[in-house]
Every structure is written in C-alpha cells, then in structure tokens.
Amino acid sequence: MIIDQLNEPVPGTSLLSTPTGDAYTDPEIFAREQAEIFEKMWNCVLREDALASPGQWKTVSVGREEIIVVRTRKAGIKAYYNVCRHRGMRVCTSGEGKSKTLQCGYHAWTYALEGDLVAAPNLTSMPDVDRQEYGLKPVHVRTWLGYVWVCLAEDPPSFDETVLGEVSTRFGEVESIDNYGIEGLRCGETKTYDVAANWKLIIENFMECYHCATIHPELTEVIPEFADGLASQRKNGEIHGASFGDDVEGFTVDGSSGVGSLPAIAPGQDRKYYAITVKPQVFINTVPDHVIIHRMFPVSHERTIVVCDWLFMPEVVEQGLDVANSVELFHRVNQQDFEACELTQPSMSSKAYERGGALVPSEHHIEEFHRWWAERLGGDVPVPAASAAAAVSGT
Amino acid sequence: MIIDQLNEPVPGTSLLSTPTGDAYTDPEIFAREQAEIFEKMWNCVLREDALASPGQWKTVSVGREEIIVVRTRKAGIKAYYNVCRHRGMRVCTSGEGKSKTLQCGYHAWTYALEGDLVAAPNLTSMPDVDRQEYGLKPVHVRTWLGYVWVCLAEDPPSFDETVLGEVSTRFGEVESIDNYGIEGLRCGETKTYDVAANWKLIIENFMECYHCATIHPELTEVIPEFADGLASQRKNGEIHGASFGDDVEGFTVDGSSGVGSLPAIAPGQDRKYYAITVKPQVFINTVPDHVIIHRMFPVSHERTIVVCDWLFMPEVVEQGLDVANSVELFHRVNQQDFEACELTQPSMSSKAYERGGALVPSEHHIEEFHRWWAERLGGDVPVPAASAAAAVSGT
Amino acid sequence: MIIDQLNEPVPGTSLLSTPTGDAYTDPEIFAREQAEIFEKMWNCVLREDALASPGQWKTVSVGREEIIVVRTRKAGIKAYYNVCRHRGMRVCTSGEGKSKTLQCGYHAWTYALEGDLVAAPNLTSMPDVDRQEYGLKPVHVRTWLGYVWVCLAEDPPSFDETVLGEVSTRFGEVESIDNYGIEGLRCGETKTYDVAANWKLIIENFMECYHCATIHPELTEVIPEFADGLASQRKNGEIHGASFGDDVEGFTVDGSSGVGSLPAIAPGQDRKYYAITVKPQVFINTVPDHVIIHRMFPVSHERTIVVCDWLFMPEVVEQGLDVANSVELFHRVNQQDFEACELTQPSMSSKAYERGGALVPSEHHIEEFHRWWAERLGGDVPVPAASAAAAVSGT
C-alpha cells in the first residue's frame, strides 16, 4: 500500500513528491479513476437553462457513459443512460433535441420523459414486460448554481458533504458563494478545450500559482500577488481572496473595467478573485462582475475535454454588452495552462520521472489532492514518499 | 460455462436475453471469433467470374489473413496464404492482377499458379529445398453459386453440412435455391460498406424484421407484411416467403417493375422475397428477377466491411438495362441497417448493458445464432440467461 | 529457453530459420527491445557539427525517451533527459535552439548548460534543494566519426568493444575506417524515412544482398557483383569490398563520376563499396568520394524512423558541387529496401509465418544478428531452430 508512504518527505529535502509517472500514463489506472471517481461522484454536466422547456434534452459524457439529461413536464430534470432497454441502441442520437417522448430509432421502443416504457411495437402482446422495470435506467440528478449535476452511483455520496463541503472549506461557509447569485447568471460565452493531458495534471495546475509568473503575464498584471507564486486560500486564519492591482479596474485582459458588479457580493468580495476546486471535475472562479466555471470530462489517460463558461448578470447578456475583454483574460489563462499540461504529459512516461516530481512549499497543498485520489482508488496506486507535515505558511 | 444458462428466461418476463455487452467490445473475444469461426469455417470471398482466365488472381481477407485466389491453367481455382515461404513478404502486392507465375518481389522466389516453388536465385545450389514443401501454403477452396469459398482450417468442416445445410434448413431442400440459377447470374452492381459495428450486430439485425417498420419505409412499402415486424421463415409448417404488396410490380425502390423474371423460379417463388443467413458471413436475398448477396469481413470488434452484390440475368447486364431502382432499394436498406448497428455498438460497453439486452418474441429465433456462436467459442463466453422454450409462433 | 534451439537446422533442408513472426509483431517484445537494447546500448543520434557553438541544443529520441543534446561552454557536449526535475515538463519544447541556460517554461526552473539547477522562483528559500542533485538527469555521451553518441544505461557498455568492435570486425582493424576521415566530412544531404516495419526487418534487409538483383537495378548496375546475391564481407580470409563495374566512374545513380576522392583512402579502398552494421541502429556505407550513414529510431513494433546522411568533403558542400547523382543512388536503394520491409511486415502476423521464414545460404550470417538479439533479450524469445554450423563460404 504505497499510500502508507505518503507521509514521508523526499530524501534530503523538505519537498514533497508527486505521484509517480505511471499515475498519468497507465490505462488501467485511468479505468479505475473512471470507475471509482467519475462514475461514483457528483459530476457537473450542463447549465440548467440549456433545458429551458419540457421535452428539451441533451446528451453528456460522465465517466465512460453517455447520459441523457431531459426536462420533464412534471418531475423537473431527469437523467438516464442513453441505452435502449431492448437491444441497446442510443435512444438520443444527436447531442440535443426536444421531443414529447424519448423514442429509440431502431425498433421504436418509446419512453416517457419520466423514463417509463410507454410504447413499443407489439408491446401489448408482451404483458409481462413491466413498463417501469423496462424504463430507461435512471441516474441521480441534482441542480445547484444553475447547473445540472449527475451521479451514476447506485447510492450517491452526500451532495452536501462532497460538493458543498468543498465550497465551505474554501469560503469558510457555503453561503459566501451565494452572494454571487450564480444560479441566476447567464452564460455569455462557452469555450471547449481538447487537452492532450491527464486530468490530474489539469487539477494540479489549477491548484497552484507557482507557475503564474512564468506563463500568465496578463493574469499577474491584473492580480499582482500571483507573481509571487502563492495561491493562498487563507492568511492568518482568514479566508483570503487575491486582490486586483491598484491600477486595475476590472478582471479583464487589459485591466479595463468590467461589466459592473454582481448585486449581492460582500464588501470583502469586491476587487477580489477567489478560486475553488470542486473535485473531481469542477473549477469555480469568482470576480466581482462575473463567474468562470470549468467542467472537465476525462476521455483517456492522456486526453481531457474542458468546457469553460463565462457567466454574467442576465442583463449583460440580454443587452449584448461587450464582454470580450473579460472572456479573453481567462481564455488566455486556459490556453497557457493547458499548453503547460500538454508539455508535461509526455514526460510522465520517462524513466527520469519514474519516482515522480517534486512539490515546492507553495505547492504543498496539492498533496491533499494526491492523498484524496489515492484513497478513492483504494490506496494501492503509485504515490511515492511525500510529507504530510508540510502544511506551509501561506498555502 | 455460461452457455449452460442459455435456457433460462429473463426474470419476470418471457423475453430472452442477448449476450452481454462484452461479447461485442472485448478484443479477446473478437480474436477467438477470428480463430474459431472465421478461420475455421467456409468463407464466401469473391465472385468466380472475377477470375475469368488462367493467371488472374485477387487477394481477399479471411479472418486475420490475406489470401491469394487464382485461376490456374489446369487445376481450376486455387487459394494460398499471401506469404512468401522465404522471408514472408506479400507475394501479391496489389489487390488483383494477371501473371504466369506468382513471383515475390523481394528475392524473386517464384511459384507456379498451382503453388509449387519453381524458381529462385541460386535455387539449384539448394537441392534439399523441396519445391512442393516450399510451395505457397494452400487453403481449401470450393465454388458454389458462382462464388469462390475458402476455408483456412487444415481439416475443413463439411461444406454440405454447414453451407448447404443452412440453405436447406431455410428452403426445406437445397434444390429450391437452384431455381434462381445464381451461378449463371452476372453482377450488375457491387457496393462496399465500412460499418463501425461488431459483426454479430449486423447478423442479428439481418435476422429480424421487428425493426422494419421503424427504419425501412421503402422496404415495408414493397413488402407490407414486414411492417408487422415478423420475418417469418415458416408458416403452418410451410416454407414462407414474404409477399410483395398488391400494387407492387417489382422489388424496386418505388415498387415499379423490375427486369423480368429469372427463367426457372417456381410459381411459389414469384412475387416473393426470401432471405437466408449462411453463417458466419453471408446473407442471400432472392426476389423473382435478381439476387442480392452480402459478404461480411470482420476487421475488429467494432468494425466490419460488408460487400453487397446485386446479381441479374446476364442479358440484363450485357444490354445495360437500367437496374438503378432495383439496386437503390436494398442499398437504402443496407444504409438504414448499418446506421442502426453503428448507433448500437457504443452502448455495448455501457454499464446499462452489462447484463445484455432483450429479444422480443418475434426475435426469439436469434437465440439460435447466439447459441451457435457460444458453442463455436467453447461455451465460456458472456451469454446471460435466455429461454430455449421460447420458439414463438410465426418466427 | 528457445535460444537453446538456435543450433538446429530447419528439418529436411540446410536452411536456417528466422525468428518467428511474433518477434516482429508483439508490442511486449518491442518494449523489451527498447529497454534491453536501445536504452542500454550506444545510440548515434546527431551530427556533431549541428551543434556548432555553445548553447546550441537539439532534442533527439533514444528508445522511448526524449534527450536534450547541448554544446556547453566548457564541458563539450552534454546530454540530458528532457524532463524538468520539478514537475516534469519538457524543458526544451522545440526540436532545436540556442540559449544561455535551459529553462523550463512552466515554473522557470533554470539549468546551466552543464546541467546544474541554477535558478528557480523562491529557490533561495529552499536551501536543502541541492543544485547538483536537482540538476537535469544526465546521460552518457561520446563523439565519434563526427557524430554524437549517447547511452542511457547507468553503466554503459564499452564503446570500444561494442561500437568500435563492430567496425574492426568488418574492416579487420578499426583504423581502416579512419582513411575516410568521416569526422571531417560535411553533410550534403539528409533524408528521413518513416518506415512501416519492425526495425529488425530493416537490419536483416541491410545485411544481405540476395535481394539486390530483384529490387536494386541501379545499384547492381554500379556494383555488378551484387547481382549474384552475395554481400561478402570476406573472401579467402581477406577483407572484401564490393567492386564498381568496369564502365562505372562513380557511385552515382547513372554510374557517372562522383565528386573526386577522399584524400586518405587506401588503394584497396578505391572503386570499392564497404558496408558495416553497427548494432543496434547504425549502417555505415563507404565509397571513395563519400560516406552514407543511416541511423534508425524505432517507434513501435511496426514503425521505424530512418535518417540517412550523405557526407562529402567540406569543399564539395561549401562550393555547392552537384551531388544529386550521388544522393539519388542510395535514396533509391533506401526506397526500394523500405518498401520491401513494409510489404514484409504484415505477413509477420500470419499463421503461415508462425514458425518463421528461411535464410538461404548467402543470408546465413544474419543468424548472428538473430543470436545477438536473442541474447540481449535474455534468450526467452521466439527464435526457432537454426543451425550455427552454417557459416557459408562467401558470406
């Protein structure tokens, strides 16, 4: 059980080790991650307002499965495996649509939006085919922050303890995020990135700012403290947000002013940037006038799709205000980050990385992610020595 | 031995189960299928008249092998592995050709059309190299219905019991197919389909008509009884062909008349469509004025090449009569079927299909195919419970 | 241990067997070849004069690793794994460049050309991070014949016994190759071939001339004795070079004169072609006025990159003399050879090759390569019976 060694420091230094390269290159470890993490935890899959009216549906990827998410007439939003119960064909064969029922295009088995089998050729001559039993196989669904979250586990983990728990750990109390009113925001822009890197490299990258000075010139211009390499979550026991530079008017690519201010944010949230990682696949970034949310969809051990939404006040989107400078800032950050991840992935199989890499003090909190990951996988995974005694000031 | 469970019904219903999803997605099961089915049984590989004169040859795929089929001067058609006995290079490097000998282009080892090694540089100084022993490795070959059939097994199964047996099971007596004179027909059109689906999905699709009403509007217009979802082989103990609709003049995309009538068909074969599956890779479709023959060539667990020939009376082809309406009907059927198979393949790996799908009563005869498949593979394959007691009237 | 059977002849003949087809198609055997051969032996990776001045670097592939080769200011040429010691990113992200240090673009860890870690953000606050210990991971490096050779083994094999040993075995004494002054030559042309074949097929092809009459018309025109199929290394105990034809003026595609004569070649080296295989990945071809050197870079069990340099006297390159006829001859030989290898690769997985192919007497020396290969891999590899008693005259 390599996890037992997680508390040991790298010999001769105070640095902590990362997992060994195998963790990022082994298809079997990736399959375990899909089974034990993505197919057992809550996944944020799409914006709820994308399904505005009853009958609207979209298909999304969760782990290795394709899931239909549909707005029903009476039961709110439901989600199902996109697999006909008869011979298995994809029931929904385009990415999105609107219909009164969900009908398989092969033999016309027809399901209510609420999942039951309601019609099929000669179904009446098969009276022992129970229509609920033979309905679409459902998955658990929740909405929060204006997003639909689904969980494929038969017995899902507590949404409060996992998803909301991550947020309250960051903000001290989950209510602080409520000030941003994310549920009521509108999506002003969505960009999709096809990243040739393991999903864990993307999380690790998001969790530290030691790289900011090197690869994010625009971001460090707006948030000067990031140039010091610290992505501090707390300072002196207080929740810490990263401050805008003195001359900076807004969270935009050139520091020009943004699009106003979200109405309910607290004074301490003004001119501040906060970031939260909601494991396993969501990043939330808040600034005074908008919110940026990343959703990750791992495809293979070396490929991850990342979808990024820029959310603004409804009137900003409705009035068509120019948000290009706001979008451009984090779009560049995304591109810079994902390029770094893609240039890191190939080294993961190198003999020079067979004992893993090193975390500097300002990255030591990433070890918590590695420990969480190893525990989810049962511990028997390639994580080399690392020190738990390494909670370093400022991180 | 999961095969022992084949006689059990799906709990709570009278439906039979299909094999589990693994059967369609596991590369190891596919390798066993290649070894135990395609490389041990008779495969229909090409039309005999494609090799009109001595020296003409073509290369074809059988299982995982490339085979040369050649018309010799004195010994009829022969077939060999396309592997030079010296260092292994492909002896024939284009798909077809005509030559007096088969010469390897690497070191000029030269084989007679009948297979013996007849020349090689310095061969005379290697007197112990037996020219028959070092000839091309032969495979068994037969001709029937104007097609060349090959079998890679050292000791092939009986052609009569396997290939002809399938036909007589369908037609009651193998002679009935003779009325169509398929051997003397000419190929008016050949279309090749590259299908992203497991070969078994394609066979299962061909074996049932429960899908006809949903995906084959043109076909059910011509053969109205298919709209009922029954592809009956027998009715009241009699051989059953599917009847043309009353207003239908021919087996064409618009029901317009075809190109006459094959001279020797029986009265009971007029205005009828018959279909036969010759396992593992041939479908024969007969109508009064032409015959449609599919050959399948599995490439991987999720890819199959299907070649479809439309065969007409020689004078139809020679006179250049318009057969477009005849060809278009089954070409559309093929496209519709293969699209359904391609939309079914991805679900085979879903957790929602891990216990397989269901066969409705009018599909119950497909279980015979599953049983045959499981037996060919030795029984130790993922076939869940299914009921043998389910021979359903009309199927 | 199949290697124990290497001394047995093919039953009924005096021919020797090649390894079985698995040796050329099994990804696991290929992985062992990478680990035991390419990642443990000396590899010729690039021309030394490509790194003319301090700070110039190139990245090259060795086995499954990417290596930086750089000219330092004081320590000559050095080579390192292209993996940052911090989080593993590729330090050099383009194929070549020139810089004063080697800086990782992710977190700005910065290495001296000599390898030590010399700077990193906040490095001074991490005093226990030893700058040598955390320098780039070095690999062994040598120069010879004007090329850089690297070895990834911790404890490399003797360069003299392996690389130079191959040359002296061929030339009787390693000094004979010195006459060509290869170190001082200049590269007039480099061509890269992406060959869809296992690297061993390429070596086997290079080691025999039994194929020359069939596939190399231009070469056998220039070197008529190759038409007999013998690539003799010795005759009557003497070192043997292959003679130009009587009417041939130079080693050119049309037999026209070349570009003079290398100044120091011995009389016995005039109008002669010599070839040497330096296992595992170099072929050296010498003719009076130029030298052709192939370097192989195996990518997978069925793909190999081959880079071929044509080296001429410096003045030939500087004055821009026309070397097209010289280059064209071996370029065609390369194309002809690699096409043969590509047409051989697919048969390696055939049942007809499951016991391997045959070596004719003039190819029997290739068995030494097979024996060497089997020993490098530990003997437990698929090599069928072959006769060690088969040293055949003229080979």
Side-chain angles (χ1 to χ4, degrees):
Chain A
M1 294 278 285
I2 291 164
I3 198 170
D4 293 341
Q5 306 168 15
L6 275 168
N7 291 343
E8 295 171 26
V10 174
T13 76
S14 63
L15 305 185
L16 299 181
S17 289
T18 68
T20 57
D22 301 29
Y24 305 85
T25 60
D26 185 338
E28 285 189 27
I29 288 179
F30 181 73
R32 284 168 64 189
E33 291 171 343
Q34 291 280 38
E36 300 301 325
I37 296 175
F38 296 96
E39 294 168 8
K40 288 203 176 149
M41 296 190 71
W42 287 100
N43 288 256
C44 180
V45 295
L46 55 78
R47 194 92 190 126
E48 189 183 348
D49 62 15
L51 305 179
S53 58
Q56 274 195 305
W57 54 262
K58 283 204 172 205
T59 57
V60 298
S61 290
V62 178
R64 293 158 296 188
E65 300 288 349
E66 187 168 288
I67 302 296
I68 306 167
V69 185
V70 62
R71 183 175 295 277
T72 65
R73 258 173 294 276
K74 297 176 181 168
I77 288 180
K78 293 282 186 186
Y80 311 101
Y81 286 87
N82 189 9
V83 176
C84 181
R85 296 303 304 278
H86 170 222
R87 294 266 295 286
M89 197 170 93
R90 292 300 193 215
V91 174
C92 296
T93 59
S94 58
E96 59 187 307
K98 183 173 181 178
S99 49
K100 291 183 177 167
T101 58
L102 299 172
Q103 185 180 63
C104 178
Y106 198 170
H107 304 84
W109 279 38
T110 305
Y111 303 89
L113 300 179
E114 292 77 11
D116 286 4
L117 177 64
V118 291
N122 308 326
L123 182 61
T124 51
S125 66
M126 298 179 266
D128 57 357
V129 175
D130 184 276
R131 294 176 180 215
Q132 229 175 337
E133 184 69 28
Y134 271 76
L136 289 173
K137 185 175 164 66
V139 299
H140 297 276
V141 60
R142 279 283 306 253
T143 58
W144 189 57
L145 298 182
Y147 282 91
V148 178
W149 303 65
V150 302
C151 179
L152 306 193
E154 301 278 326
D155 188 16
S158 158
F159 194 84
D160 285 7
E161 287 175 19
T162 56
V163 177
L164 303 187
E166 298 258 19
V167 175
S168 60
T169 298
R170 173 70 186 95
F171 272 109
E173 51 189 27
V174 73
E175 288 70 23
S176 295
I177 201 173
D178 291 346
N179 299 343
Y180 292 90
I182 299 175
E183 186 166 337
L185 299 183
R186 286 273 303 275
C187 197
E189 175 77 54
T190 296
K191 289 186 185 287
T192 299
Y193 306 85
D194 193 337
V195 187
N198 188 278
W199 65 279
K200 297 189 295 299
L201 291 181
I202 296 173
I203 286 196
E204 292 159 12
N205 167 280
F206 187 76
M207 290 182 80
E208 52 95 356
C209 208
Y210 185 52
H211 67 267
C212 291
T214 313
I215 72 175
H216 296 318
E218 300 87 351
L219 181 63
T220 51
E221 193 74 27
V222 170
I223 315 269
E225 70 182 75
F226 281 170
D228 298 333
L230 300 177
S232 307
Q233 303 266 320
R234 288 170 185 265
K235 258 187 182 157
N236 308 321
E238 299 283 300
I239 307 302
H240 177 73
S243 295
F244 290 8
D246 290 343
D247 300 337
V248 168
E249 295 178 33
F251 194 76
T252 56
V253 72
D254 55 2
S256 60
S257 64
V259 286
S261 192
L262 298 174
I265 59 170
Q269 293 173 328
D270 193 23
R271 297 182 61 76
K272 297 278 192 187
Y273 165 90
Y274 292 88
I276 314 168
T277 302
V278 183
K279 295 187 293 287
Q281 48 93 256
V282 178
F283 307 146
I284 302 172
N285 310 265
T286 65
V287 292
D289 66 332
H290 65 285
V291 172
I292 302 157
I293 295 188
H294 298 77
R295 289 165 279 145
M296 292 201 302
F297 300 91
V299 177
S300 78
H301 64 278
E302 59 188 3
R303 184 176 169 217
T304 309
I305 303 291
V306 183
V307 181
C308 185
D309 292 330
W310 282 259
L311 304 171
F312 298 90
M313 288 179 285
E315 55 268 34
V316 169
V317 176
E318 283 154 16
Q319 295 167 16
L321 298 191
D322 185 1
V323 296
N325 283 337
S326 298
V327 170
E328 183 65 14
L329 176 53
F330 227 90
H331 175 49
R332 288 198 196 172
V333 170
N334 286 340
Q335 289 178 310
Q336 292 153 352
D337 280 336
F338 300 154
E339 186 191 5
C341 293
E342 291 186 338
L343 287 166
T344 300
Q345 180 67 30
S347 293
M348 295 298 101
S349 60
S350 173
K351 191 167 182 135
Y353 206 75
E354 68 183 350
R355 299 185 58 187
L359 300 174
V360 302
S362 63
E363 297 170 320
H364 274 191
H365 57 287
I366 297 178
E367 197 225 4
E368 286 170 36
F369 165 64
H370 293 149
R371 182 178 303 279
W372 168 87
W373 166 78
E375 282 168 5
R376 293 288 318 178
L377 263 56
D380 184 18
V381 287
V383 182
S387 169
V392 170
S393 65
T395 68
Chain B
M1 294 277 285
I2 293 164
I3 198 172
D4 293 342
Q5 306 168 13
L6 276 168
N7 291 344
E8 295 172 24
V10 175
T13 75
S14 62
L15 304 186
L16 299 181
S17 288
T18 68
T20 57
D22 300 30
Y24 305 84
T25 60
D26 184 337
E28 286 189 28
I29 288 179
F30 181 72
R32 284 168 65 189
E33 291 171 342
Q34 291 280 39
E36 300 301 325
I37 295 175
F38 296 96
E39 295 168 8
K40 287 202 176 150
M41 295 188 72
W42 286 100
N43 289 256
C44 179
V45 294
L46 56 78
R47 193 91 190 129
E48 190 182 348
D49 62 14
L51 305 178
S53 57
Q56 276 195 302
W57 53 262
K58 283 204 171 205
T59 57
V60 298
S61 289
V62 178
R64 292 159 296 189
E65 301 288 349
E66 187 168 288
I67 302 296
I68 306 166
V69 184
V70 61
R71 183 176 295 278
T72 65
R73 259 173 294 278
K74 297 175 182 168
I77 288 180
K78 292 281 186 185
Y80 312 101
Y81 286 87
N82 189 9
V83 176
C84 181
R85 296 302 305 277
H86 171 221
R87 294 265 295 286
M89 195 170 95
R90 292 299 193 214
V91 174
C92 294
T93 59
S94 58
E96 60 186 308
K98 184 174 180 178
S99 51
K100 290 183 177 167
T101 58
L102 299 171
Q103 185 180 65
C104 178
Y106 198 171
H107 304 85
W109 280 36
T110 307
Y111 303 89
L113 300 179
E114 292 78 11
D116 287 3
L117 177 65
V118 291
N122 307 326
L123 182 61
T124 51
S125 68
M126 296 180 267
D128 57 357
V129 174
D130 183 277
R131 296 178 178 212
Q132 235 178 328
E133 185 69 27
Y134 271 76
L136 290 172
K137 184 173 165 66
V139 299
H140 296 276
V141 59
R142 280 283 305 255
T143 58
W144 188 59
L145 299 181
Y147 282 91
V148 177
W149 302 67
V150 302
C151 179
L152 306 193
E154 301 278 325
D155 188 16
S158 158
F159 194 85
D160 285 6
E161 287 174 19
T162 57
V163 176
L164 303 189
E166 298 258 20
V167 175
S168 58
T169 298
R170 173 69 186 97
F171 273 109
E173 52 190 25
V174 73
E175 287 71 23
S176 294
I177 201 173
D178 291 346
N179 299 344
Y180 292 90
I182 299 175
E183 185 165 338
L185 299 183
R186 286 273 303 275
C187 197
E189 176 76 54
T190 296
K191 290 187 184 288
T192 299
Y193 306 85
D194 193 339
V195 186
N198 188 278
W199 66 278
K200 296 189 295 299
L201 291 180
I202 297 173
I203 286 194
E204 292 159 12
N205 167 279
F206 188 77
M207 290 181 81
E208 51 94 355
C209 209
Y210 186 51
H211 66 268
C212 290
T214 314
I215 72 175
H216 297 317
E218 301 88 349
L219 180 63
T220 50
E221 192 74 27
V222 171
I223 315 268
E225 69 182 75
F226 281 169
D228 298 333
L230 301 176
S232 308
Q233 303 265 320
R234 285 169 188 267
K235 258 186 183 159
N236 308 322
E238 298 283 299
I239 307 303
H240 177 73
S243 295
F244 290 7
D246 289 343
D247 301 336
V248 169
E249 294 178 35
F251 194 76
T252 56
V253 72
D254 55 2
S256 61
S257 64
V259 288
S261 190
L262 298 174
I265 58 170
Q269 294 172 328
D270 194 23
R271 297 183 61 78
K272 297 279 190 184
Y273 165 89
Y274 292 88
I276 316 167
T277 302
V278 183
K279 292 188 294 287
Q281 47 93 254
V282 179
F283 306 147
I284 303 172
N285 310 266
T286 65
V287 290
D289 66 330
H290 66 284
V291 172
I292 301 156
I293 295 187
H294 298 77
R295 287 165 279 145
M296 291 202 303
F297 300 90
V299 176
S300 78
H301 63 278
E302 59 189 2
R303 184 176 170 219
T304 309
I305 302 291
V306 183
V307 181
C308 185
D309 293 329
W310 283 259
L311 304 171
F312 298 90
M313 288 178 284
E315 55 268 32
V316 169
V317 177
E318 282 153 17
Q319 294 167 17
L321 297 192
D322 185 0
V323 295
N325 283 337
S326 298
V327 169
E328 184 64 15
L329 175 52
F330 227 90
H331 173 51
R332 290 199 193 170
V333 170
N334 287 339
Q335 289 178 311
Q336 292 153 352
D337 281 336
F338 300 153
E339 186 192 4
C341 294
E342 291 186 337
L343 288 166
T344 300
Q345 181 67 31
S347 293
M348 296 298 101
S349 60
S350 173
K351 191 167 182 134
Y353 206 76
E354 68 184 350
R355 298 185 59 187
L359 300 175
V360 300
S362 64
E363 298 169 321
H364 274 191
H365 57 287
I366 297 178
E367 196 223 4
E368 285 170 37
F369 166 63
H370 294 149
R371 182 179 301 279
W372 168 87
W373 165 78
E375 282 170 3
R376 291 291 316 181
L377 262 57
D380 184 18
V381 287
V383 182
S387 170
V392 170
S393 65
T395 67
Chain C
M1 295 277 283
I2 292 163
I3 197 171
D4 293 340
Q5 305 167 14
L6 276 168
N7 291 342
E8 295 171 24
V10 174
T13 76
S14 61
L15 304 186
L16 299 181
S17 288
T18 67
T20 57
D22 300 30
Y24 305 86
T25 60
D26 184 339
E28 286 190 27
I29 289 179
F30 182 72
R32 285 168 65 189
E33 291 171 343
Q34 291 281 38
E36 300 300 325
I37 296 176
F38 295 97
E39 294 168 9
K40 286 203 176 150
M41 297 189 71
W42 287 98
N43 288 256
C44 180
V45 295
L46 56 77
R47 193 92 190 129
E48 190 182 349
D49 62 16
L51 305 178
S53 59
Q56 276 195 303
W57 54 262
K58 284 204 171 204
T59 57
V60 297
S61 289
V62 178
R64 291 159 298 189
E65 300 287 350
E66 187 168 287
I67 302 297
I68 306 166
V69 185
V70 62
R71 183 175 295 277
T72 66
R73 260 173 293 278
K74 296 176 184 168
I77 289 179
K78 292 280 186 187
Y80 311 102
Y81 286 86
N82 188 10
V83 176
C84 180
R85 295 303 304 278
H86 171 221
R87 294 264 296 286
M89 196 170 91
R90 292 300 193 214
V91 175
C92 295
T93 59
S94 58
E96 60 187 306
K98 184 174 180 177
S99 50
K100 289 182 178 168
T101 58
L102 299 172
Q103 185 179 65
C104 178
Y106 197 170
H107 304 85
W109 279 37
T110 307
Y111 304 89
L113 301 179
E114 292 77 11
D116 286 4
L117 178 64
V118 291
N122 308 327
L123 182 60
T124 51
S125 68
M126 298 179 264
D128 57 357
V129 174
D130 185 277
R131 295 178 180 214
Q132 232 177 333
E133 185 68 27
Y134 271 75
L136 290 172
K137 185 175 164 64
V139 299
H140 296 275
V141 60
R142 280 283 307 254
T143 58
W144 188 58
L145 298 182
Y147 282 91
V148 178
W149 302 66
V150 304
C151 181
L152 306 193
E154 300 280 326
D155 188 16
S158 159
F159 194 85
D160 285 7
E161 287 174 18
T162 56
V163 177
L164 302 188
E166 298 257 21
V167 175
S168 59
T169 298
R170 172 70 186 94
F171 273 109
E173 51 189 28
V174 73
E175 288 72 22
S176 295
I177 201 173
D178 291 345
N179 300 342
Y180 291 91
I182 299 174
E183 186 165 338
L185 300 183
R186 285 274 303 277
C187 197
E189 175 78 52
T190 295
K191 288 185 185 291
T192 298
Y193 306 85
D194 193 338
V195 187
N198 187 277
W199 65 279
K200 297 189 294 299
L201 290 181
I202 297 173
I203 287 196
E204 292 158 13
N205 168 280
F206 188 77
M207 289 182 81
E208 51 93 357
C209 208
Y210 185 51
H211 66 269
C212 291
T214 313
I215 73 175
H216 297 318
E218 302 88 350
L219 180 63
T220 50
E221 191 76 26
V222 170
I223 315 270
E225 69 183 75
F226 282 170
D228 298 334
L230 300 177
S232 307
Q233 302 265 320
R234 287 171 186 265
K235 258 187 181 159
N236 307 321
E238 299 282 301
I239 308 303
H240 177 72
S243 295
F244 290 10
D246 290 343
D247 301 335
V248 168
E249 293 178 35
F251 193 76
T252 57
V253 71
D254 56 1
S256 60
S257 64
V259 286
S261 191
L262 298 173
I265 58 170
Q269 293 171 327
D270 194 24
R271 297 183 61 77
K272 297 278 191 186
Y273 165 88
Y274 292 88
I276 314 168
T277 302
V278 183
K279 295 187 292 285
Q281 48 94 254
V282 179
F283 307 145
I284 303 172
N285 310 266
T286 65
V287 291
D289 67 329
H290 66 284
V291 171
I292 301 156
I293 294 187
H294 298 77
R295 287 164 281 145
M296 291 201 304
F297 300 90
V299 176
S300 79
H301 64 277
E302 59 188 3
R303 185 177 168 217
T304 309
I305 303 290
V306 183
V307 181
C308 185
D309 293 329
W310 282 260
L311 305 170
F312 298 90
M313 289 179 284
E315 56 269 31
V316 169
V317 176
E318 283 154 16
Q319 294 167 18
L321 297 192
D322 184 1
V323 296
N325 283 337
S326 298
V327 170
E328 184 66 14
L329 176 53
F330 227 89
H331 175 50
R332 289 198 195 172
V333 170
N334 286 340
Q335 290 177 309
Q336 292 153 352
D337 280 337
F338 300 153
E339 186 191 4
C341 293
E342 291 186 338
L343 287 167
T344 300
Q345 181 68 31
S347 293
M348 296 298 100
S349 60
S350 173
K351 191 166 183 137
Y353 206 76
E354 69 183 349
R355 300 185 58 187
L359 299 174
V360 302
S362 63
E363 298 170 321
H364 274 191
H365 58 286
I366 296 178
E367 196 225 5
E368 285 171 35
F369 165 64
H370 294 149
R371 183 178 301 278
W372 167 87
W373 165 78
E375 282 169 3
R376 293 289 316 180
L377 262 57
D380 184 19
V381 286
V383 182
S387 169
V392 170
S393 64
T395 67

